[in-house]
């Protein structure tokens, strides 16, 4: 279960590393060190009372003086990217929460990294971590156009031919089958980017051992139109309370109605804030975070979207 504090930060700098991408540098207004983090981590930005968005940290984990996030202006923004681009200026205060990491880089001798568009952000500190560990790696970086691909010039200048840049208007889509076939034996694949890229790469990686592909999604998984939800009970070990969760409500919703404090953010199974331990019962996982092996372990769930599996009448939660 996550326990986090909100930080009062200030926008120390704002630049544009690519078309429609805004890079924010966030610092403590008092010069205090910020919480430590490692490659793959993200934070919540509390843009106003009703607007909370998650962004990957893309700076240097060893630099505790600031955090950096890069935000793409989304044409159909739900408010987050428009707020960052149009309303946040240098010197403005901003609340942040985290960091948390659902996309941690595991030790390996070699890696393959695949990034699509703004999905490059969590990959950047992974490259530095892989370099520091002496690992072999290669990055395949796709985007609509070269001008839309943030940090591309710096990546090529730093790493040369270890970075394969593939703007779609110049080279077409990334050759995912070729990338997977050519990876070093046993090398894990880390990928972040838009849903079509992640879905396509997951399909290509189906024959590979479980855990080979590690992904981070910006958006929730599509709902199963044929899913039939059932009501069930939730027992909370901390209080001994038993709550009834009807078919048309989430566990998170029912907990909030019972005035049980639950830290949450995205409410769609992508951020990991509401992670909760499960002591008994079978889970119907509906998040975009857990790997197949983590789901099979049946010991943790995200209560904003996941439920008791059909036929399971009670979940016992560590809360």
């Amino acid at each position: 279960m996550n326990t986090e504090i909100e930080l009062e930060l200030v926008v120390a700098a704002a630049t544009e590393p690519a078309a429609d991408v805004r890079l924010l540098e966030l610092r403590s207004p008092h010069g205090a060190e910020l919480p430590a983090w490692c490659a793959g981590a993200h934070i919540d930005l509390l843009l106003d009372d009703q607007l909370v968005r998650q962004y990957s940290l893309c700076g240097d984990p060893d630099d505790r003086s600031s955090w950096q996030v890069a935000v793409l202006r989304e044409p159909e923004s739900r408010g987050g990217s428009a707020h960052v681009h149009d309303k946040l200026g240098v010197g403005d205060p901003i609340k942040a929460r985290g960091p948390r990491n659902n996309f941690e880089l595991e030790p390996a001798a070699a890696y393959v990294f695949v990034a699509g568009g703004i999905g490059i952000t969590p990959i950047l500190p992974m490259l530095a971590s892989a370099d520091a560990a002496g690992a072999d790696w290669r990055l395949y970086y796709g985007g609509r156009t070269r001008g839309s691909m943030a940090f591309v010039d710096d990546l090529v200048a730093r790493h040369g031919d270890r970075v394969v840049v593939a703007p779609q208007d110049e080279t077409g889509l990334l050759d995912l089958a070729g990338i997977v076939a050519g990876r070093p034996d046993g090398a894990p694949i880390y990928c972040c980017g838009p849903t079509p890229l992640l879905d396509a790469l997951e399909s290509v990686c189906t024959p590979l051992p479980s855990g080979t592909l590690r992904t981070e999604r910006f958006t929730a998984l599509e709902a199963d139109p044929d899913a039939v939800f059932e009501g069930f009970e939730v027992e909370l070990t901390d209080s001994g309370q038993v709550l009834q969760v009807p078919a048309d409500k989430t566990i998170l919703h029912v907990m909030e109605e019972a005035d049980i404090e639950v830290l949450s953010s995205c409410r769609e199974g992508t951020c990991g804030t509401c992670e909760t331990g499960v002591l008994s019962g079978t889970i119907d996982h509906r998040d975009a975070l857990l790997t197949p092996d983590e789901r099979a372990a049946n010991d943790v769930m995200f209560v904003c979207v996941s439920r008791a599996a059909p036929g399971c009448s009670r979940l016992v939660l560590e809360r």
Side-chain angles (χ1 to χ4, degrees):
M1 183 170 61
N2 285 305
T3 55
E4 299 172 356
I5 60 171
E6 291 181 7
L7 300 174
E8 301 279 353
L9 304 179
V10 65
V11 179
T15 57
E16 295 187 359
D20 292 326
V21 176
R22 196 154 197 242
L23 177 66
L24 301 182
E25 180 181 326
L26 309 176
R27 294 179 179 266
S28 162
H30 311 295
E33 282 194 338
L34 301 183
W37 60 282
C38 59
H42 69 267
I43 58 172
D44 295 340
L45 289 187
L46 288 70
L47 302 173
D48 63 32
D49 290 342
Q50 302 298 322
L51 194 59
V52 181
R53 294 292 182 265
Q54 295 75 44
Y55 299 109
S56 297
L57 291 169
C58 60
D60 179 3
D62 291 331
D63 181 2
R64 298 281 298 279
S65 68
S66 69
W67 285 341
Q68 293 183 19
V69 296
V71 180
L72 173 68
R73 181 189 288 277
E74 298 282 0
E76 299 183 8
S77 170
R78 294 175 298 158
S81 71
H83 187 108
V84 169
H85 279 258
D86 299 334
K87 296 183 179 180
L88 277 183
V90 174
D92 285 348
I94 180 74
K95 291 182 180 180
R97 188 167 58 207
R100 72 184 67 90
N101 201 334
N102 306 304
F103 192 42
E104 193 164 349
L105 187 69
E106 300 293 338
Y111 300 94
V112 171
F113 299 105
V114 181
I118 200 63
I120 190 63
T121 51
I123 301 296
L124 291 176
M126 289 186 175
L127 304 183
S129 295
D131 266 347
D136 183 23
W137 61 265
R138 178 158 288 202
L139 166 65
Y140 299 88
Y141 182 15
R144 298 187 313 278
T145 65
R146 190 175 294 268
S148 71
M149 299 168 67
F151 313 109
V152 67
D153 292 338
D154 183 62
L155 282 166
V156 172
R158 284 173 177 260
H159 304 296
D161 60 8
R162 298 173 85 178
V163 176
V164 177
V165 178
Q168 187 175 345
D169 64 339
E170 297 178 19
T171 63
L173 296 174
L174 287 167
D175 176 15
L176 300 179
I179 291 169
V180 172
R183 87 187 210 284
D185 287 345
I189 303 168
Y190 284 79
C191 179
C192 186
T195 297
L197 170 65
L198 297 173
D199 289 347
L201 188 54
E202 284 182 350
S203 178
V204 171
C205 290
T206 298
L208 300 181
S210 177
T212 299
L213 175 62
R214 326 283 174 86
T215 62
E216 182 164 64
R217 291 178 178 266
F218 297 135
T219 57
L221 295 178
E222 289 189 17
D224 180 358
D226 299 321
V228 177
F229 292 154
E230 300 175 354
F232 57 95
E233 295 179 341
V234 166
E235 178 183 339
L236 308 178
T237 56
D238 288 353
S239 65
Q241 288 180 269
V242 176
L243 306 177
Q244 303 295 323
V245 182
D248 62 345
K249 293 184 179 180
T250 65
I251 299 173
L252 176 61
H253 189 172
V254 171
M255 285 180 168
E256 290 175 336
E257 287 184 330
D259 293 325
I260 296 168
E261 185 176 354
V262 185
L263 192 63
S264 66
S265 181
C266 73
R267 309 181 81 90
E268 58 183 20
T270 59
C271 75
T273 311
C274 66
E275 179 179 340
T276 301
V278 179
L279 297 178
S280 70
T282 307
I283 308 161
D284 177 11
H285 292 287
R286 295 182 172 273
D287 63 272
L289 295 163
L290 297 178
T291 66
D293 287 347
E294 289 169 338
R295 291 185 173 203
N298 202 67
D299 59 2
V300 68
M301 71 185 302
F302 299 97
V303 294
C304 65
V305 291
S306 297
R307 308 178 60 80
C312 175
S313 60
R314 176 178 287 203
L315 293 174
V316 180
L317 305 184
E318 290 183 316
R319 190 173 286 276

